[in-house]
Amino acid sequence: MTSPETALQHALDQERRHHDRCRTVLDAMVRGAGEQVVAGEDVSASGADAEVLGRRLRTQAKELRELPEGPLFFGRLDFSPDDTRHPGQRYHIGRLRITEHPAAPPLVVDWRAPVSRAYYQASARDPQGVAVRRRFGWAPGSRGDSADLTGLEDEHLQREEAGRAPAASALVIREIERPRTGPMRDIAATIQPEQDDLVRAALADSVCVQGAPGTGKTAVGLHRAAYLLYTHPQRIRRGGLLILGPNRAFLSYISEVLPALGESGVRQTTLLEEIGRHPVTGTDDPRAAGIKHDVRMAEVLRRALYARVRADAAGSLAVPDGACRWRVTEEEIAAIVAGTLAEEPPYGTGRERVRTRIVRGLRERAEQRSGPRGQAWVRRMERSRPVTACLDAVWPRVRPEEVVAGLLTDPEVLARAADGVLDGEEQKAVLWASPPRSWRSARWSEADLVLLDEVAGLLDHPAGYGHVVVDEAQDLSPMECRAVARRSAFGSLTVLGDLAQGTTPWAARSWPTLLHHLGKPDAAVIPLTTGFRVPRAVLALANRLLRRLDVDVPVPRSLRGDGELSIRQVASPGELPDAVVTAVREALGREGSVGVIAADADVAGIRGVLAGAGVPVAGPEELGAPVSLVPASAAKGLEYDHVVAVEPAAIAEAEERGLHRLYVVLTRAVSRLEVVAARPLPF
């Protein structure tokens, strides 16, 4: 009789041989993709068709060549012989489809394929035709050598009692709990059913994920992006896919997730970089910044822009045409401008409508006198100097910079535009203290760039993206939300965030309000409350602080029974530096990454203390460093195996929403949190 150990070894040997075969076939796919590019360049077709085909082939070849090294599959589905759709079929599940020939059965099925959904959703209660679900365990950091396949685990779904709670998967738990080093990993192997529902939401659906710390909301957003690229490649690639993160450190951290899932060419940036027409060289005081980010500024800017339209500014129009001179009266021009304004088109569109309608009046007069006029005549009239001069008088061409600079430098212009919208003190607050000579020499602040983008959207509606994923969305101001909405006007949104982690002065306190500003008021709000990253003891401490935050969010829970929490309270501030050094050295004695997080104002001092003790530290953007020293303002979205949180009271007092910032800091730990404090804890 075969022992369990022998049977396991036999199964592992079979799977390793299958992996070797998959590796050989994948290498052939990469070579074949390169050969297809060469053949595509010689294709006999029209220039446009050949260019499209060549671009598509080159993209496919590039994506295959740039796939990160790693295991080629992480799971397997064995369907029951009685299943009506896949009777007796066996599918290995991985990050991309591997097949010897397009018509041949795949050796590995892409995790996004419809058949793969059962891997994430099947249960004893609802097997979905699956007899056995097999999970594979790979050595940490494996580059895809078959010898790194170290374990497997089978769930016999149709043998188990439907009413019994499923046993936790040891391999999944081990994968979730293994140390965090370097960039963020994908979670394709460990997606939970509620996460899978969000990942596979329809392209037309905009969804908002209220995700507590450690619930995988960022990973869900990235995997949804990969799923949509797989499921709707033409529609998404035609419009593009945009991922907006809160800062560069966060984007560096998530940068390898999509390439690991076989997707490249996705724009990942911050909102400031997306909208930035100029470098940020100016600053605003908190009051001015708050007003500029207020949604009321949208109306002020609209008024300031359309105040430049003057229906009666041109007088009558006379255009010479050979021996004739065609006229449009002042009253007719005023009526054209007023009628166009009533249609509320984008400013640039309105200007062209006025031009077209003025030329139409000229054409009617010319045809009444001497017969039809062709398109060449129409184009000549449109470009004629009198028509252009008339247009510039009644509906002038304008840059966003001219509108915003004119508004923020001239109290009278601002007073007219802000009448009944901003009070006198608010108007004074947003005026530039040192007006530039012209908009070309202006020093633009971050908030000014948001205003410029608003005016640019009033001038011409941007084309927008096919889908936008926006992370840490709770920190967006109403005006920033409008900037995002303009980029998703014809596509869908995945909104990710946690109201409890809102740290900007204008951070949202309710999702319906924010979704209204994002232009997606009907988006479903889905809570994720089960944590897979933050240990239970650490989350219990953070939940004590959660009660003091002015937000209505579900209290999260953690599945992580491991992990440690330690509070090191010293007697005086003078003892704090030595306590920080001791805590960091103890953390370095354990496996995994170490993050030291402190109030922004204290970071330089702590860096000096650690350097003096011989402990080298890196910044949050330097991934993979043994110790990262992180200002509290940059901690959002990051995670470390061991976190040393320095003086929570200082973090809480550093800004208006300091308690929210502290909540972020306390929930960055994956394995162990040590709080080092000389002052009483603010929770």
Side-chain angles (χ1 to χ4, degrees):
M1 186 173 179
T2 304
S3 68
E5 293 79 10
T6 303
L8 174 61
Q9 188 59 50
H10 177 69
L12 283 172
D13 289 342
Q14 281 188 318
E15 297 292 1
R16 288 168 181 155
R17 286 193 293 271
H18 184 73
H19 193 269
D20 286 336
R21 182 185 176 193
C22 293
R23 178 66 65 191
T24 300
V25 171
L26 178 60
D27 291 342
M29 289 171 61
V30 174
R31 290 194 304 272
E35 292 168 0
Q36 283 183 316
V37 170
V38 175
E41 290 173 348
D42 297 331
V43 70
S44 175
S46 71
D49 290 344
E51 182 180 349
V52 170
L53 175 61
R55 184 164 57 247
R56 185 178 304 160
L57 292 174
R58 285 192 295 273
T59 299
Q60 291 172 346
K62 181 174 182 289
E63 289 175 350
L64 283 173
R65 285 196 308 271
E66 293 180 352
L67 278 173
E69 295 179 314
L72 299 181
F73 54 76
F74 52 78
R76 196 181 86 184
L77 289 174
D78 295 358
F79 281 88
S80 165
D82 300 328
D83 182 59
T84 56
R85 295 169 298 171
H86 310 282
Q89 294 296 312
R90 173 179 294 173
Y91 301 105
H92 284 76
I93 312 297
R95 289 167 177 81
L96 80 161
R97 175 187 172 93
I98 300 176
T99 181
E100 293 172 300
H101 185 275
L107 299 177
V108 177
V109 175
D110 194 298
W111 66 276
R112 297 165 289 187
V115 69
S116 301
R117 184 163 199 184
Y119 183 77
Y120 303 105
Q121 296 283 351
S123 64
R125 188 184 301 257
D126 179 19
Q128 301 186 17
V130 177
V132 180
R133 172 169 50 210
R134 173 169 288 183
R135 304 180 191 272
F136 296 103
W138 293 84
S142 172
R143 301 177 66 179
D145 190 311
S146 295
D148 293 337
L149 178 55
T150 57
L152 56 83
E153 181 181 86
D154 286 345
E155 296 173 79
H156 296 270
L157 300 180
Q158 297 186 357
R159 292 185 194 171
E160 300 185 12
E161 298 176 22
R164 185 163 56 88
S169 165
L171 291 178
V172 171
I173 292 173
R174 190 173 75 189
E175 173 65 18
I176 290 173
E177 294 181 355
R178 72 180 172 91
R180 260 63 168 175
T181 55
M184 182 180 183
R185 304 192 301 264
D186 71 80
I187 61 165
T190 60
I191 292 173
Q192 302 301 298
E194 65 274 17
Q195 295 174 323
D196 185 62
D197 288 335
L198 291 166
V199 166
R200 296 175 192 263
L203 173 59
D205 295 343
S206 289
V207 297
C208 174
V209 181
Q210 161 55 45
T215 55
K217 59 182 177 294
T218 297
V220 165
L222 294 173
H223 285 67
R224 188 182 184 208
Y227 173 78
L228 293 176
L229 284 163
Y230 173 88
T231 311
H232 308 280
Q234 299 305 318
R235 290 177 61 186
I236 292 293
R237 293 189 191 281
R238 185 165 55 246
L241 196 148
L242 174 65
I243 294 176
L244 294 172
N247 52 55
R248 269 286 139 198
F250 175 83
L251 292 171
S252 297
Y253 180 59
I254 68 170
S255 62
E256 294 188 10
V257 173
L258 285 174
L261 297 171
E263 298 297 346
S264 59
V266 175
R267 179 163 169 74
Q268 301 186 47
T269 187
T270 66
L271 180 60
L272 191 64
E273 291 172 352
E274 175 69 16
I275 69 174
R277 299 170 62 92
H278 301 279
V280 175
T281 54
T283 58
D284 287 309
D285 62 52
R287 177 164 171 74
I291 297 168
K292 290 178 180 180
H293 279 284
D294 193 300
V295 72
R296 293 177 297 164
M297 283 301 297
E299 174 60 17
V300 174
L301 292 167
R302 189 194 66 80
R303 291 182 184 181
L305 174 61
Y306 284 94
R308 294 170 178 263
V309 176
R310 300 289 300 276
D312 56 352
S316 61
L317 171 66
V319 183
D321 181 23
C324 300
R325 184 178 293 269
W326 312 117
R327 298 180 182 276
V328 181
T329 67
E330 180 178 355
E331 291 76 17
E332 288 173 309
I333 293 172
I336 288 172
V337 173
T340 304
L341 274 174
E343 295 167 1
E344 299 184 352
Y347 187 92
T349 302
R351 174 181 163 90
E352 292 310 310
R353 286 183 187 174
V354 170
R355 184 199 302 271
T356 298
R357 290 164 183 176
I358 289 174
V359 171
R360 184 185 302 156
L362 296 171
R363 185 176 186 176
E364 288 172 355
R365 284 158 177 74
E367 290 183 342
Q368 285 173 0
R369 180 162 180 176
S370 52
R373 294 294 191 269
Q375 285 303 309
W377 184 93
V378 170
R379 286 192 294 272
R380 182 161 56 84
M381 290 294 107
E382 288 176 342
R383 294 194 297 267
S384 69
R385 287 184 179 181
V387 168
T388 300
C390 174
L391 190 62
D392 287 342
V394 299
W395 202 296
R397 191 187 303 275
V398 67
R399 294 173 177 267
E401 289 82 355
E402 294 175 90
V403 176
V404 174
L407 188 73
L408 300 182
T409 57
D410 191 327
E412 293 184 2
V413 171
L414 178 58
R416 286 194 297 269
D419 183 36
V421 180
L422 304 179
D423 63 33
E425 292 302 314
E426 290 173 321
Q427 293 176 34
K428 290 179 183 178
V430 298
L431 282 169
W432 284 340
S434 301
R437 291 184 178 180
S438 77
W439 65 263
R440 289 182 174 83
S441 58
R443 297 172 60 83
W444 304 102
S445 69
E446 290 187 8
D448 292 335
L449 296 187
V450 179
L451 302 185
L452 289 173
D453 192 74
E454 179 74 24
V455 177
L458 291 170
L459 290 173
D460 291 293
H461 290 323
Y465 291 83
H467 189 78
V468 178
V469 177
V470 53
D471 207 346
E472 303 297 346
Q474 76 282 344
D475 279 335
L476 295 175
S477 71
M479 291 296 285
E480 288 174 323
C481 285
R482 290 174 63 86
V484 175
R486 283 189 287 276
R487 284 153 180 82
S488 62
F490 304 106
S492 51
L493 266 176
T494 297
V495 181
L496 311 168
D498 178 11
L499 297 178
Q501 297 184 60
T503 53
T504 58
W506 41 78
R509 287 177 168 80
S510 79
W511 285 119
T513 300
L514 184 134
L515 290 170
H516 172 76
H517 293 311
L518 284 170
K520 308 293 181 184
D522 297 327
V525 180
I526 311 296
L528 290 178
T529 57
T530 301
F532 308 97
R533 173 175 59 81
V534 184
R536 194 173 299 152
V538 174
L539 194 59
L541 179 70
N543 282 343
R544 287 165 54 187
L545 183 60
L546 181 63
R547 303 187 190 104
R548 296 187 57 188
L549 308 182
D550 183 25
V551 290
D552 183 16
V553 297
V555 176
R557 66 187 185 93
S558 175
L559 295 182
R560 296 279 305 277
D562 63 329
E564 299 177 41
L565 169 66
S566 174
I567 298 178
R568 190 185 296 257
Q569 190 88 43
V570 297
S572 68
E575 299 177 36
L576 194 66
D578 288 341
V580 171
V581 172
T582 301
V584 172
R585 283 180 171 157
E586 289 180 2
L588 282 170
R590 302 164 183 258
E591 185 182 9
S593 57
V594 179
V596 182
I597 309 179
D600 291 30
D602 296 339
V603 167
I606 293 172
R607 185 183 300 277
V609 167
L610 291 174
V615 179
V617 296
E621 69 284 347
E622 299 175 59
L623 303 177
V627 180
S628 296
L629 179 58
V630 185
S633 64
K636 192 168 294 182
L638 304 179
E639 57 184 29
Y640 301 93
D641 289 286
H642 311 283
V643 168
V644 178
V646 182
E647 200 63 278
I651 296 172
E653 294 170 1
E655 54 189 304
E656 179 182 341
R657 294 173 69 92
L659 287 177
H660 293 257
R661 184 77 70 186
L662 179 57
Y663 181 78
V664 172
V665 170
L666 296 178
T667 54
R668 299 305 95 199
V670 174
S671 299
R672 184 170 180 268
L673 170 66
E674 180 156 6
V675 177
V676 182
R679 299 169 56 188
L681 300 178
F683 46 81

